[in-house]
Coordinates of all heavy atoms in Angstrom, one line a residue:
Chain G
P72 N 41.4 45.5 -46.6 CA 41.1 45.9 -48.0 C 40.3 44.9 -48.7 O 40.4 43.7 -48.5 CB 42.5 46.0 -48.7 CG 43.4 46.2 -47.5 CD 42.8 45.5 -46.4
S169 N 25.0 37.5 -31.3 CA 25.0 37.2 -29.8 C 24.0 38.1 -29.0 O 23.7 37.7 -27.9 CB 26.4 37.2 -29.3 OG 26.9 38.5 -29.4
A174 N 19.4 38.3 -38.2 CA 20.3 38.6 -39.3 C 19.5 38.8 -40.6 O 18.5 38.2 -40.9 CB 21.3 37.5 -39.5
Q197 N 30.9 66.9 -46.7 CA 32.1 66.2 -46.9 C 32.8 66.6 -48.2 O 34.0 66.8 -48.3 CB 31.9 64.6 -46.9 CG 31.5 64.1 -45.5 CD 32.6 64.3 -44.5 OE1 33.8 64.2 -44.8 NE2 32.2 64.7 -43.3
A238 N 45.1 36.0 -38.9 CA 44.2 34.9 -39.4 C 43.9 34.0 -38.2 O 44.7 33.8 -37.3 CB 45.0 34.1 -40.4
K258 N 28.0 33.7 -17.4 CA 28.2 33.8 -15.9 C 27.0 34.4 -15.3 O 26.5 33.9 -14.2 CB 29.4 34.6 -15.6 CG 30.7 33.9 -15.8 CD 31.9 34.8 -15.5 CE 33.2 34.0 -15.8 NZ 34.3 34.9 -15.8
I290 N 1.5 10.5 11.7 CA 2.8 9.8 11.7 C 3.0 9.2 13.1 O 3.4 8.0 13.2 CB 3.9 10.8 11.5 CG1 3.9 11.2 10.0 CG2 5.3 10.3 11.8 CD1 4.8 12.4 9.6
P299 N 7.4 0.8 10.5 CA 8.8 1.0 10.7 C 9.2 2.4 10.1 O 8.4 3.0 9.3 CB 9.5 0.0 9.8 CG 8.4 -0.5 8.8 CD 7.1 -0.2 9.5
V312 N 9.5 13.8 -4.0 CA 9.9 13.5 -5.3 C 8.8 13.7 -6.3 O 9.0 14.2 -7.4 CB 10.5 12.0 -5.4 CG1 10.8 11.6 -6.9 CG2 11.8 12.0 -4.6
L327 N 7.8 24.6 -23.2 CA 7.7 24.2 -24.6 C 6.5 24.9 -25.3 O 6.5 25.1 -26.5 CB 7.5 22.7 -24.7 CG 8.8 21.9 -24.3 CD1 8.5 20.4 -24.3 CD2 10.0 22.2 -25.2
R335 N 14.0 36.5 -27.3 CA 15.2 35.8 -27.7 C 14.9 34.3 -27.9 O 14.0 33.8 -27.3 CB 16.3 36.0 -26.5 CG 16.8 37.3 -26.5 CD 18.3 37.3 -26.0 NE 19.0 36.5 -27.0 CZ 20.3 36.7 -27.3 NH1 20.9 37.7 -26.8 NH2 20.9 35.9 -28.1
A365 N 11.9 15.8 11.2 CA 10.7 16.2 12.1 C 9.9 14.9 12.3 O 9.5 14.7 13.5 CB 9.9 17.3 11.5

Side-chain angles (χ1 to χ4, degrees):
Chain G
S169 60
Q197 291 298 322
K258 281 179 184 164
I290 289 167
V312 170
L327 290 175
R335 287 214 58 145

